[in-house]
Structure formats: C-alpha cells, structure tokens
Amino acid sequence: MSQLGKKVESVPPTKKPMQINVFALLFFVVVAAMILTYILPAGEYNRVEVDGRTIVEADSFKWTESTPVNPFDMVQALHKGMVEAGGIIFFVLIIGGFFGVFSATGTIDVLISTMARKLAKREKLLIPLMMLFFAAGGSLMGMAEEGLAYIPLLIPLALALGFDTITGMAIVLLGAAAGFTTAVMNPFTVGIAQGIAELPLFSGIGLRLILFIVVYLVSVIFVYRYAMKVKRNPALGFYGNYNRDHADKLLQSKVNLTTKHKLILGAFLLNYVVLAFGVIKFEWYLSEIAALFIILTIVVGIIGKLSIDNIVKNFTSGSAALISGALIIGVSRATLVVLNQGHIVDPMLHGVSEAIKHVPGTISVMGMYGFQSVIHFILASGSGHAMLTMPIMAPLADLLDITRQTAVLSFSFADGIGNIIFPTAGTLMAGLAIAGIPWTKWAKWVLPLVIIQFVIGLIAVVIAHAINYGPF
C-alpha cells in the first residue's frame, strides 16, 4: 500500500470479514432448481410475438407431462448457461479491458489528485463533487469494483480536509451506488435487464434521470451532515486503518492534468455522446456498444502513448479483473436453463399470477420490488441478479398488467440499495476491509440511508406503474 494509504502501526490487523462464495451459492441455487423439477408439475403458456417482442398469452396456460432434470443434465446446464449468456459475458469482458487501458494512462489518478489540491481550502465542495464523479461512473458505466482502487486515495483526502475514514469510504461507495441504483445507462444492470425484457436499450431514461438526481442529493446530504459533525468534533469520527498524519501527502502531490489527460477525458465523454446517439437513433445493442468501446480503447491507448504490447496487456488484465463477474452471469443463466428444461417456470408464473391477479396493481408492483430486494441479498451481483430474475419478472409483469419497464426499475433499485449494506456484496466487503471498518459499524451508520432509499424506490415503482412507464 502506498504512503497515501499507510496503515497505523499501532492498530492491530482487521479481522477479515466472512464472505459467502457467490459461485458456491449459485451452484446450490442450480441444485435447488433441479430438485424443484421433481417436485413441481410442468406446464406452459403460449407465447406470441407482438411488435418484435415475445409476450405471454395470459389465458393460454396448460399443464404438461413432467420432465425432471437429472444431475448430469444439471451439470451440463452450467455450460449451456454460459453459451446462452455468451453475448453479455463477452461484452462485460470488453468493458473490463477498456478500463484496464484507461487506468493505465493514469488519467483518473491525476484527475483525483488535481481535484484534491483545488479543494484543499474548499472542503465543503469535496463531497458533492466527488460523489457526483462516482455516481456518474456508476450510472453510466457500471463503476463498482473499479471504485475500490480509489478508496485509498479518497480516505486520505477526506482526512486531510478534516473528515474521517467513513466519509472517504462513503464518497466512493455511496456515490457509485447512487448511480448504480438509478442506472441511467448502466450496461451491467439496466442494459442486461432491458435486453432480457426485450425493451429498447436504455429506454425510459427520463424517469431514471430524475431519480438519479433525487438519490444523488439524498446520498450527498446524508454524507455531508455526518462529515460536518466529524469536522466540528473529530472525536466523533472513525479512522480504521488510516492515520491523519499521513493524509496531507495527497495534497502535496505535484501531478497535473496534461494535454494528454484532457484529450483522453474528452474522448471518454465523446464516446458516451456517440453511444447515446446510436442507442436512441439506431437502436444499438451489445455488439455495437462493444465495438464502440473497442474503438475507444484503441484511441485512449494511442493518446496515452501506450505501446501496442502495453495496450494488449492492460486490456487483458482489465478483462481478467472482471472474469469472475462475467462467469457469474453464465452460472446464473444455468438456473434458468434447468427451470426451462423442467418446464416449471411457467407454472411458477401461473401460480403467482393466480394468487395476486385480484390484488390492485399498486400492491403487485410493491411485491415485485420487495421480492427483488430479497433476491439481491442472496445474489449480490447486479448482472447475475438480472440474468436470474428478469426472465421470470418480465413475463410476470405481462400477466399482472405491469409494464416491463416498471419491472426493470424495481430490479435496478433493489440491486443498487442492497450493494451498500448486504454482507453478501463483495465490493462492499472488500472496501470495508481496505478501510478497516467493521461491517457492523458500517451497517449501523448507513441503515437510515438504506431505509430512505428503499422508500424512494417504493414510491418510484408505484409512480412508474401509475403512469404506465414504458414504452411497454
């Protein structure tokens, strides 16, 4: 660890928090799905194509002969799931490769250090500005694990300006989560979920932009109020693995944004303008967006004066950093493969829809939101969560006369909020380990914000249902 994040010698090593292995968990989910094929009766709905999308005919359900899945077929489903999700998996790896090259240019590190010096005497601007940076990253490009690299930078910066370790951690984590929750153009959550629901990619962006502003402001106010209390009375703060004596090193850094860095940032911003235009005008999807990021990778590498060898090495290392998340998508898909082979997805949809078909739509959509929140505790991977639930939630929304866009919104809110408190969230637990903050300490501190955001999400999905949030 660099001097910016130098540990306090007198502080004993923080006990590594217990984490649930997500692959083991998903394998047990696949096994459970196999067992269900022996328990639940088989059945199916007729599906028809309307305006280029496949929908379920509500009154077409019929029972069929049971087709239980044997253990060997279940294991084969792991490979089949990865094949079926191949397009999304490789898209994730290409995005990871881009980040590897982007990081190798040093542009983000220099940007943060430059901002640190400029904010040294205007510390009240640190929280809203830096949280906006990470919120934009979370909302536009799914920044999550990438944010871990900036925790050792932001914590010393927060300490240098009179705040504490929790403030520095929160700027990164809660900032990115605000963006992840509202997911204006997040390819890993809304992008995947809308693809499964056969919605136009990144459609419904207007409401998500409004929600982005709301969630961002609520998160900033929450962190700002706490930070100001610590600034007035440092004894109220928590400092974890960090020592305030070393925090001023960040302010002493002499690096500056050069023409090279400015050009790279300009190319990065231009990429999103082109992306938005292509998605809206030409209905681009994964292949086109992936191609755009490959082009951007080459452009950034050239501007950053990286050799061909370095571009390739950093691209592959960036992809390697996301291989675990990419494989989670495939393993999650295996659950659906098993359920489909056993022909029990439609009976589950039929059972749920029959149970609540006479319930007002407002209550149904609230129940969908609550269900997604529970699932996210079990499966804290946003992309994996989408792959597991949206194939069921999209047709269920059809049966309950809820728009598929509303179903996607309920997923994205549940996904983002869970990332800031659930101990099954790998990014959260890794960040807490870096900062030296016990999960219990963090959970107690962040719980009020979680409740506030959950209520905002509840109101959002109810409004979405009331206005027939679409296009469908």
Side-chain angles (χ1 to χ4, degrees), residues 13-291:
T14 304
K15 184 178 179 181
K16 186 177 181 180
M18 182 182 70
Q19 297 187 42
I20 300 173
N21 186 290
V22 67
F23 286 101
L25 181 62
L26 284 173
F27 182 76
F28 286 124
V29 171
V30 176
V31 172
M34 179 194 70
I35 294 172
L36 284 177
T37 65
Y38 287 86
I39 298 173
L40 299 180
E44 61 183 9
Y45 281 104
N46 291 332
R47 286 170 167 78
V48 296
E49 189 170 307
V50 177
D51 297 328
R53 59 191 173 94
T54 304
I55 66 170
V56 174
E57 288 188 323
D59 299 323
S60 65
F61 181 79
K62 59 181 179 293
W63 298 104
T64 61
E65 184 178 353
S66 293
T67 54
V69 177
N70 64 54
F72 187 65
D73 286 340
M74 179 206 72
V75 176
Q76 290 185 72
L78 297 172
H79 175 259
K80 291 179 180 179
M82 292 184 186
V83 171
E84 289 187 9
I88 296 173
I89 290 173
F90 283 103
F91 176 70
V92 169
L93 295 179
I94 288 171
I95 297 293
F98 161 72
F99 276 117
V101 176
F102 190 44
S103 298
T105 66
T107 303
I108 296 182
D109 291 345
V110 173
L111 177 63
I112 290 179
S113 293
T114 301
M115 292 184 67
R117 292 197 310 277
K118 292 184 179 297
L119 294 173
K121 296 181 180 180
R122 290 176 285 180
E123 68 277 4
K124 292 183 179 180
L125 294 175
L126 170 72
I127 293 169
L129 287 179
M130 293 308 301
M131 287 187 71
L132 180 60
F133 170 79
F134 288 108
S139 198
L140 297 177
M141 56 187 182
M143 178 185 285
E145 292 87 351
E146 297 84 3
L148 295 175
Y150 305 108
I151 290 175
L153 291 174
L154 265 294
I155 290 177
L157 172 57
L159 295 178
L161 299 179
F163 307 133
D164 69 342
T165 297
I166 287 180
T167 302
M169 172 78 174
I171 288 171
V172 179
L173 184 71
L174 299 188
F180 227 86
T181 299
T182 50
V184 175
M185 293 179 66
N186 186 342
F188 301 115
T189 55
V190 161
I192 292 175
Q194 288 183 332
I196 295 170
E198 299 180 289
L199 286 159
L201 196 62
F202 302 135
S203 56
I205 196 170
L207 179 58
R208 292 200 302 279
L209 275 170
I210 295 172
L211 292 172
F212 173 86
I213 295 171
V214 172
V215 175
Y216 162 74
L217 289 176
V218 167
S219 300
V220 167
I221 292 170
F222 182 81
V223 177
Y224 184 87
R225 291 183 62 190
Y226 170 78
M228 289 302 112
K229 289 180 182 178
V230 172
K231 188 170 181 65
R232 289 191 296 268
N233 184 4
L236 296 176
F238 182 85
Y239 301 94
N241 287 343
Y242 290 80
N243 189 324
R244 298 180 70 187
D245 294 338
H246 298 284
D248 59 353
K249 291 185 180 295
L250 187 60
L251 302 179
Q252 297 170 5
S253 174
K254 301 299 182 182
V255 294
N256 292 292
L257 282 171
T258 64
T259 301
K260 177 187 76 173
H261 297 133
K262 292 175 183 178
L263 287 173
I264 289 173
L265 289 172
F268 179 76
L269 294 175
L270 179 61
N271 176 74
Y272 272 96
V273 173
V274 175
L275 188 155
F277 179 78
V279 167
I280 296 170
K281 181 70 175 178
F282 302 111
E283 298 184 352
W284 284 359
Y285 192 49
L286 293 181
S287 294
E288 294 86 353
I289 297 174

